[in-house]
Amino acid sequence: MHEIGDAGEMTTLLARASAGDDRAWRELVDRHGGLVWGTARAYSANRVDAEDVCQATWLLLTENLGRVREPNALPGWLVTTARREALRVIKARRRESPAAMDHLLADMPDGSEGPESTVMRTVAAGRLGQAFAELSQRCQQLLRVVAVAPEASYAQVGAALGMARGSIGPKKSRCLTALRNSMTALGMPEEAAG
């Protein structure tokens, strides 16, 4: 995880990127990519929408590089922009799908073979998606961010979701407990829910 040294360093980096320096642009993306992705994923119903939100956010930055007045405020600008883009996509879709967790699970390698394993995995994914959909919107957003950006600091997660850094850990614990309880109520074995 890269940290910003000072305003002068970020000003120089932004100026270089604005002038077309590919290395500077890559450094900006490396420094802030996890934050943009975590924000996009927190507000997007599925991975494809989150990818679209990320693309739109980075495109908007390229269009506005020369207008950034406070270089150290760039992370906040990126979070706000990603959140607005995600809300725009949600509005365009006009519905949210609780199957978003199915898309995440489908992207994971299976590691097992056989039709029985496939059926059991499909049933488990469906129940997980159902249990996830029963969580509050805030819990869904928080768990999406920590699932897709596990390397993000609590400060970054808090910035992405507009939450105090000190509340992230306790809230995550309560959300996971609620998810576990919901999965158990849906008939998932304790070991699968825990």
Side-chain angles (χ1 to χ4, degrees), residues 64-116:
N64 292 287
L65 268 174
R67 296 185 196 133
V68 176
R69 293 183 202 164
E70 293 293 325
N72 283 339
L74 181 62
W77 186 92
L78 289 168
V79 165
T80 300
T81 303
R83 185 180 312 135
R84 286 181 182 155
E85 285 301 305
L87 294 173
R88 184 187 60 75
V89 168
I90 288 170
K91 197 175 203 179
R93 300 281 188 260
R94 295 281 185 214
R95 62 177 170 71
E96 184 169 321
S97 169
M101 291 304 293
D102 292 340
H103 294 296
L104 285 177
L105 292 172
D107 291 343
M108 295 180 356
D110 189 336
S112 64
E113 297 183 28
E116 299 87 3

Side-chain angles (χ1 to χ4, degrees), residues 105-170:
L105 292 172
D107 291 343
M108 295 180 356
D110 189 336
S112 64
E113 297 183 28
E116 299 87 3
S117 297
T118 303
V119 168
M120 292 306 293
R121 187 166 181 257
T122 301
V123 168
R127 287 185 180 159
L128 175 59
Q130 185 179 354
F132 187 80
E134 291 177 4
L135 295 176
S136 70
Q137 183 69 23
R138 198 67 166 156
C139 278
Q140 289 180 24
Q141 290 173 338
L142 177 59
L143 293 180
R144 281 183 180 140
V145 169
V146 297
V148 299
E151 74 286 350
S153 69
Y154 277 5
Q156 290 174 318
V157 172
L161 297 176
M163 295 173 68
R165 184 177 68 179
S167 69
I168 303 293

Side-chain angles (χ1 to χ4, degrees), residues 37 40-41 43-55 85-86 89-90 93 95:
W37 174 252
R41 194 61 187 105
Y43 288 90
S44 300
N46 60 57
R47 186 176 197 86
V48 173
D49 285 350
E51 289 169 353
D52 290 346
V53 168
C54 285
Q55 263 187 336
E85 285 301 305
V89 168
I90 288 170
R93 300 281 188 260
R95 62 177 170 71

